[in-house]
Amino acid sequence: MNRLKQLFQRIDPGYWVVLAICLLALWPFIGRASLPQQTDAELHIFRLAELSFLVRGGEFYPRWAPNFYHGYGYPIFNYYAPLSYYVGLVFELLPGLDAVAGVKAVFVLGLLGAGFGMYGFVRDNWGRPSGYLAAAVYVYAPYVQYVDPIARGVLAEAFSLGIFPLALWGLDRLRRQPTWGRWVTAVFLTAAVILSHNLMALLFFGLLAGWVVWQTITRREDSPGWRWLWAALGLGLGTAAFFWLPVLLERNAVNLNTLIGAGDNYDFRTHFLSWGELLAPTLPLDWGATEPVFRFNLGLAQWILGGAGLLLLLLRRVKHSRQALFFALAAAVLTFMLLPASTFLWEATPILPFFQFPWRLLGGTVAMLAILAGAGLEAVLALWPSVRGWATAVALTFCLLTALPLTQPAPWPDFGDVFALRMSLIEHSGRWLGTTSTADYVPMTVDIIPARNGNVVAGFLTDEPLDRVNRPTVPADAEVISEEVSPLHFRYTVNTPEKFLLRLFLFQFPGWTVTVDGEPVEPELARPEGFMAIQVPAGEHQVDVQFRDTPARQLAWGVTAVSLLLMLVGGWRLRQNGGRFRLPDKLATIDWRVLGAALSVTAVTLLILGPLQLLHYNSADYTAEPAQVDRFDNFGGQIALIGYDVSAETAVPGEQGTVTLYWQAQTELIINFQSFVHLLRPDGSLAAQSDHLNPGEFPTRRWPLDEYVRDVHVLHLPPDLAPGEYAVTAGLWVQTEGWRLPLLDANGNQVDDKATLFTLTVVDE
C-alpha cells in the first residue's frame, strides 16, 4: 500500500495539464449527446452493435457479420481492423450505455491518446514544456481535431491517430531503460497500431520501423535497450497476426477492387493537395450547411511552430538533433507525398492506391511537425531560460487560438436507438449495404448482389432469429425446421421423401462448414447470388451449418500465440536480469502558467465565444454567408440557387475553373435532381460543361429545408477554345427523363430553364 501511495505521489502532474489542453477538443463529444450524422460514424455504430450481438451470443472473435447485407451476411470483421470496436464494446456492454456511447468513448480515447502519447514522448526527449506544446500542436491539428473524428466520423482511423504516439512513446521508453513492464507495453502498443486501422497501420508501423532503424544507426550510450526495439516490433507484428495474416492470405476471397477508383472519388489522383491548401488558415464552419466546408490543411500553428523547430534544427540549436532529424526527414517525405509531384510514386507502388486519399497522410505529417515544434521550443528555452513558463504559455495559446473555429462544429440531432431492423431499413433505402457503400469485402463468389428478401428479414420485425431457408425451393412434401444455436451456427432438421438441394440465403465464404448427421459435406455454390446449397438425401437428417476458422486463420492464431509466449519469455528475462519496475524520481510541481493558459482559452470559448456564436457562420433564410455572390434563383418552387463562388472570371484555353453553387430546398423533394454548369458561346452552343448526378454528393430527396447544399463544379476549358466572352449558366434537370426545372420570376412565371451566373472572359496565353 505504501508503495502504491508513493507511486501516485510521483505521477507526473503534467498529465493534468495535458488533460486541460485536450478539453476543448474533447468538448463536442463530452458536452453533447449523440454523434454527428451523415458521416461514417453511423457505419461504425452499427458495426459495434453487430459485434455486441455476436459477443453476447458467444462468438467472441467473429469474422462474419450475419445480419448485414439483408441478412445474407458478409466477412467485414475478417478484413477490417478490430481494435476500435472491441474498445467501444467495453463501454457498450456497461449498463445504461449503447453502441452510440461506445463509439463516442473511442473518439474521446483517441484524442486523449494523441495528447498524452505526444506529451510523453516529447517530454522524455525535450522536457515538459516541449511536451505540452507538442501535445497541443498534434491534438489541435485540423485533421486530428476535426476532420477525422467529426467531419468524416472515421472511428478506426481517428483512433489510430491516438495509438501511434503512444506506441512511439512506449518504444522510446523501452530504448531508454528496458524493464518487463516497458517491454510488454511496447509489444502491445505496437500490435495496437496494426489492429487500429488497416491503412494507417501501414503508415504508422512504417514510421515506427523507420524510427527503430534510425535508432540502430545513430544509437547513443543512453540507449541501452535499442536491441529490444527490434524484438518489440517483431513480436508486436506477430501478436497482431490473428488479424492481418488472414487478410493477407484470404485477400482473394473478397472483392477489393471497389477500394480503388479511376477518375472517381476513390482515385488518389483526384485528392492531392497544393501548397496553398496545406498552408491555408482554417475556415469558420457554417451551421447552415448540410456539410460545412473545411480544409485539408496542416494548420497555421502546426506549420509555423513545426517549421520553426525545423529551422532551429538546421541551425544546430536543437537538443538530441539526431533524434529530431528523423522526424524532419519523415515530415519532408510525407509532405511530398501529399503533393501532385509525388504521382509517380503513387503509381509505382502497388499498395499506395489503396490509401485512396493522399490527404490521409496529414495525420502522420502533423505528428512529425508536433515533435519538431516541441524540440524547437526546447531550443528557444535553452537560449532564454528566464521566459520558460511564459514562452510555453504563449506558444500554447497561439496553437489553441488558431484552432478555435473547429471547436464549434454544427449541432447534431439525437442518433436514436440502434437495432437490427433499423440497419436493415437503411440498407433497403440504398444508402449502403453492409456498412459500406461500394460493395467492399463482398465474397468473390457473389456475381450479382441479390435484392432484399422479405421472408429473410422478417425476423428483424419480431426480434427473432432469421429464417435463411429458401422456402419456395423446398419440395412440397419435405419439412425443414430451422434452429439458431448461436449467431454463427445454424441447425436444420430436414425430413424429405427424396433428396433435394437445401438452398440457404447465406453467402458462401471460406469458413462455412456443413455437416449432415455429423458427417462433413461440401456445400454447392448457387450462382449468380453466391448462396450456399446443401445436398440432403432422402429421410430425416440433421444439417449443421457453422462458421469456423480456416487453416489460414488457425495459422494466424498460432503465430499470435507463439508471439505472446515469446513476449512473456522476454519479460521473464528482463525481471531476472534486474530490469524491474522502478518508481520515478519525484517530479516538479504543475506549471500554473501553462495550465492557466489552456483553461482560460477553454473557458472563454465555452462560456463567451461559443454562446455568442462568434466563431462560426449561421446561414439562414436562403442565405449562404460564405458565398462570394448572393442571389435567389427560384427553380420550379422546389429548389433555390442562393449563391455561388467562382475561382476566376478570366481564363485561358486548356485551363480549368471552379464554380461552387449553393442550393437550398424550398419544399420536400420527391425527385432526385441532377445539377449542371454550362459554358455557352455567344451563339448559345455548349463550349464546356460539368454535371453532377447528386448535387454536392447529396441526393436531393434527402435535402433538409433549413440547410443549404454546397455543390462544387469544375469546368475544363477546351485547349482550342477561341478567345471571347462566354456565359456561365447553372440549373437542375432529371437525367432519366431529360427535362429541366424551370426558372421562375417573382410572379411564378417561367423565364428560362437555367440561371446565368457571370461572363467568363477567355484570353490568349
Side-chain angles (χ1 to χ4, degrees):
M1 181 64 71
N2 186 49
R3 183 178 176 85
L4 186 61
K5 181 179 179 181
Q6 292 178 31
L7 175 62
F8 278 107
Q9 289 176 342
R10 294 170 188 263
I11 289 178
D12 183 0
Y15 295 140
W16 295 108
V17 179
V18 175
L19 183 60
I21 290 172
C22 295
L23 182 59
L24 200 53
L26 297 173
W27 193 256
F29 291 106
I30 63 178
R32 300 179 181 181
S34 193
L35 282 168
Q37 296 189 28
Q38 303 297 333
T39 71
D40 282 4
E42 295 182 69
L43 309 178
H44 297 297
I45 289 170
F46 284 107
R47 288 180 189 174
L48 177 55
E50 180 78 348
L51 177 63
S52 176
F53 161 75
L54 289 161
V55 169
R56 293 171 191 267
E59 306 287 349
F60 298 109
Y61 191 76
R63 298 177 184 269
W64 185 269
N67 291 326
F68 292 166
Y69 265 86
H70 305 312
Y72 310 140
Y74 84 132
I76 180 66
F77 295 130
N78 192 54
Y79 293 94
Y80 201 90
L83 181 60
S84 58
Y85 302 125
Y86 277 89
V87 173
L89 184 65
V90 172
F91 295 90
E92 196 271 349
L93 293 175
L94 294 176
L97 299 183
D98 60 3
V100 177
V103 169
K104 176 180 287 192
V106 176
F107 279 125
V108 170
L109 290 175
L111 288 168
L112 288 175
F116 282 91
M118 190 59 69
Y119 166 75
F121 175 75
V122 174
R123 177 203 63 186
D124 290 353
N125 286 277
W126 291 282
R128 288 201 303 162
S130 296
Y132 296 144
L133 182 62
V137 168
Y138 187 47
V139 169
Y140 289 96
Y143 195 78
V144 179
Q145 174 197 357
Y146 175 80
V147 176
D148 257 11
I150 297 177
R152 299 180 63 216
V154 284
L155 181 70
E157 185 174 334
F159 193 59
S160 74
L161 298 176
I163 293 294
F164 168 67
L166 288 171
L168 181 61
W169 183 24
L171 288 169
D172 190 55
R173 286 171 64 81
L174 179 65
R175 172 185 69 88
R176 293 172 175 276
Q177 182 188 355
T179 68
W180 69 268
R182 293 182 176 188
W183 160 251
V184 171
T185 301
V187 171
F188 277 131
L189 285 174
T190 301
V193 166
I194 300 168
L195 298 172
S196 60
H197 186 262
N198 297 43
L199 295 175
M200 300 306 287
L202 297 174
L203 170 63
F204 288 142
F205 186 81
L207 286 172
L208 292 176
W211 179 80
V212 170
V213 171
W214 189 265
Q215 294 303 315
T216 303
I217 297 172
T218 65
R219 61 181 181 272
R220 306 185 305 269
E221 294 182 359
D222 66 341
S223 302
W226 68 270
R227 291 181 179 86
W228 287 90
L229 295 178
W230 288 103
L233 276 184
L235 292 185
L237 185 64
T239 299
F242 69 91
F243 161 65
W244 65 263
L245 192 53
V247 173
L248 182 65
L249 297 179
E250 298 178 339
R251 64 188 183 280
N252 294 326
V254 292
N255 181 18
L256 297 177
N257 295 329
T258 56
L259 296 175
I260 301 178
D264 58 15
N265 186 54
Y266 297 104
D267 185 352
F268 67 86
R269 298 172 186 84
T270 63
H271 295 286
F272 284 112
L273 303 175
S274 66
W275 278 110
E277 291 172 296
L278 287 173
L279 304 181
T282 296
L283 295 172
L285 302 172
D286 191 350
W287 287 14
T290 53
E291 294 184 1
V293 63
F294 59 87
R295 285 173 169 160
F296 289 103
N297 58 338
L298 293 170
L300 197 61
Q302 283 65 30
W303 69 261
I304 289 177
L305 296 174
L310 176 61
L311 178 61
L312 290 167
L313 174 64
L314 296 176
L315 295 174
R316 300 184 178 182
R317 297 288 187 181
V318 170
K319 177 183 174 183
H320 302 318
S321 58
R322 286 180 295 182
Q323 174 90 294
L325 181 58
F326 169 80
F327 300 106
L329 293 174
V333 171
L334 290 174
T335 302
F336 175 71
M337 297 299 291
L338 293 165
L339 302 170
S342 67
T343 300
F344 72 98
L345 285 177
W346 285 81
E347 293 176 341
T349 309
I351 194 63
L352 283 179
F354 284 95
F355 274 80
Q356 301 168 328
F357 317 117
W359 42 253
R360 262 196 169 124
L361 303 182
L362 280 169
T365 307
V366 294
M368 303 300 102
L369 291 177
I371 295 171
L372 290 173
L377 178 62
E378 191 280 334
V380 172
L381 299 183
L383 292 173
W384 296 288
S386 60
V387 300
R388 178 184 179 91
W390 289 114
T392 307
V394 169
L396 175 70
T397 301
F398 171 61
C399 185
L400 292 177
L401 290 178
T402 57
L404 287 185
L406 297 182
T407 65
Q408 303 293 303
W412 48 72
D414 180 64
F415 188 81
D417 295 330
V418 182
F419 46 92
L421 176 60
R422 181 178 176 186
M423 174 64 196
S424 178
L425 292 174
I426 293 175
E427 288 187 324
H428 187 51
S429 72
R431 287 182 59 191
W432 64 66
L433 277 173
T435 67
T436 58
S437 57
T438 56
D440 308 345
Y441 312 120
V442 172
M444 287 298 293
T445 53
V446 179
D447 299 323
I448 298 176
I449 296 177
R452 188 175 192 249
N453 187 296
N455 293 327
V456 176
V457 299
F460 291 141
L461 296 169
T462 58
D463 198 23
E464 295 177 349
L466 303 186
D467 183 8
R468 294 182 171 86
V469 176
N470 189 338
R471 298 289 175 179
T473 66
V474 176
D477 50 358
E479 181 184 28
V480 179
I481 301 174
S482 60
E483 172 191 2
E484 185 175 288
V485 181
S486 76
L488 298 180
H489 183 186
F490 315 124
R491 180 173 296 150
Y492 303 97
T493 302
V494 182
N495 195 338
T496 175
E498 57 184 4
K499 69 176 184 179
F500 78 102
L501 272 178
L502 175 62
R503 298 178 180 272
L504 302 180
F505 289 115
L506 186 66
F507 288 145
Q508 174 67 290
F509 183 74
W512 281 115
T513 60
V514 178
T515 63
V516 177
D517 299 328
E519 295 296 323
V521 300
E522 189 67 27
E524 298 182 21
L525 178 63
R527 291 189 180 274
E529 298 91 349
F531 290 142
M532 295 173 60
I534 305 162
Q535 190 70 246
V536 181
E540 184 173 339
H541 304 280
Q542 188 173 87
V543 180
D544 267 271
V545 180
Q546 187 171 6
F547 195 82
R548 299 178 183 272
D549 280 337
T550 60
R553 297 166 205 163
Q554 292 169 350
L555 173 64
W557 283 115
V559 173
T560 294
V562 171
S563 299
L564 290 174
L565 179 61
L566 292 175
M567 181 193 70
L568 293 176
V569 171
W572 176 79
R573 284 192 58 189
L574 283 172
R575 287 183 66 91
Q576 294 299 108
N577 295 335
R580 300 174 182 271
F581 176 78
R582 297 182 178 89
L583 287 174
D585 295 331
K586 189 172 183 179
L587 295 163
T589 58
I590 257 181
D591 191 324
W592 294 104
R593 283 165 292 194
V594 178
L595 178 63
L599 292 179
S600 296
V601 174
T602 300
V604 170
T605 301
L606 297 180
L607 300 178
I608 300 176
L609 300 179
L612 291 178
Q613 300 189 2
L614 299 177
L615 298 174
H616 61 83
Y617 297 119
N618 198 12
S619 297
D621 300 325
Y622 297 102
T623 299
E625 293 185 28
Q628 294 175 355
V629 179
D630 294 327
R631 59 190 295 143
F632 185 90
D633 295 302
N634 181 3
F635 283 91
Q638 298 190 61
I639 298 176
L641 178 64
I642 61 175
Y644 71 87
D645 300 337
V646 57
S647 57
E649 296 189 12
T650 302
V652 299
E655 280 189 339
Q656 67 180 37
T658 301
V659 179
T660 302
L661 308 176
Y662 296 83
W663 304 103
Q664 187 165 348
Q666 301 182 74
T667 185
E668 295 286 346
L669 301 173
I670 60 174
I671 296 176
N672 276 334
F673 292 100
Q674 287 69 55
S675 64
F676 67 83
V677 172
H678 287 171
L679 182 69
L680 302 180
R681 296 184 178 89
D683 62 2
S685 62
L686 186 65
Q689 69 183 84
S690 170
D691 293 273
H692 285 172
L693 183 64
N694 294 312
E697 299 183 4
F698 195 178
T700 60
R701 285 196 301 180
R702 291 167 44 202
W703 284 10
L705 297 179
D706 58 345
E707 296 174 337
Y708 66 77
V709 174
R710 186 172 176 270
D711 186 23
V712 182
H713 288 260
V714 178
L715 280 176
H716 297 274
L717 274 60
D720 58 351
L721 191 64
E725 305 287 324
Y726 294 81
V728 177
T729 65
L732 296 152
W733 68 308
V734 180
Q735 185 182 52
T736 56
E737 300 177 17
W739 57 272
R740 295 182 180 182
L741 264 178
L743 178 65
L744 307 181
D745 62 15
N747 297 319
N749 300 315
Q750 179 174 354
V751 293
D752 208 334
D753 59 5
K754 61 186 180 300
T756 300
L757 305 181
F758 63 96
T759 299
L760 178 69
T761 303
V762 178
V763 298
D764 289 325
E765 295 187 44

